[in-house]
Amino acid sequence: MLELLLKGFWSGIAAVGFAILFNVPKRTLFPIGAMGAIGGLVKFGLMYFGVGIVFSSFVGATVVGIISIQMAHLKNSPPLVFSIPGVIPMVPGAFAYRMMLGLIALIQLEDSDTYIQTLIDMVNNGAKMSFILMSLAIGVSMPMLITRKESIKRSKFNKEKKVTV
């Protein structure tokens, strides 16, 4: 359980680091850190109970997306200011790294058995990475799309301007 809390804490720290890198307003740093920690706790908590990494990432990103809408109203900032840095710690960098190492190793291998095993591992890591990235994108954007109050067609920015002569 302590390991789970530590992963959540470090997810929050990583979210704040990326928020600083993206130059967000200072008033949003604490909520971003909290959202990163909550998203990390949800993801790693579900994985601890045996849920797959893809679905865990989806649920964690969805939680971050839902909280980002509320934080946007409280802090008068766009929801993306909160959701993107909060989700970045869940990006599957290890799978991407292993996939690239496998791709590089394929160039040097001559033994067919080792080549096939390396190819299988590379495709497996690439598929996991792709599905996790898709689940993060869908999970973080779905709450914003569902809770949108009006269509852009009825927005005040889409009104035709009357020209008088």
Side-chain angles (χ1 to χ4, degrees), residues 155-165:
S155 173
K156 65 180 179 182
F157 300 111
N158 198 28
K159 302 273 184 194
E160 291 183 26
K161 293 184 178 183
K162 295 180 181 179
V163 179
T164 57
V165 181

Side-chain angles (χ1 to χ4, degrees), residues 50-150:
V51 179
I53 189 169
V54 176
F55 188 70
S56 298
S57 299
F58 172 75
V59 174
T62 303
V63 168
V64 169
I66 291 168
I67 296 172
S68 70
I69 295 168
Q70 299 301 317
M71 282 297 140
H73 292 295
L74 290 173
K75 297 291 184 178
N76 293 328
S77 293
L80 290 176
V81 168
F82 300 99
S83 62
I84 299 304
V87 167
I88 285 181
M90 291 187 243
V91 170
F95 291 117
Y97 179 72
R98 289 186 208 130
M99 183 193 74
M100 291 305 296
L101 284 181
L103 186 62
I104 293 168
L106 286 178
I107 297 169
Q108 302 170 354
L109 292 175
E110 294 178 8
D111 180 32
S112 63
D113 292 334
T114 309
Y115 185 89
I116 290 172
Q117 185 59 45
T118 304
L119 180 65
I120 291 170
D121 292 341
M122 184 198 71
V123 170
N124 185 23
N125 286 322
K128 282 182 185 176
M129 176 198 63
S130 299
F131 282 113
I132 292 169
L133 288 175
M134 284 188 283
S135 70
L136 290 176
I138 293 169
V140 80
S141 62
M142 189 177 56
M144 289 180 231
L145 293 174
I146 290 173
T147 59
R148 181 178 224 147
K149 291 185 179 178
E150 66 180 21

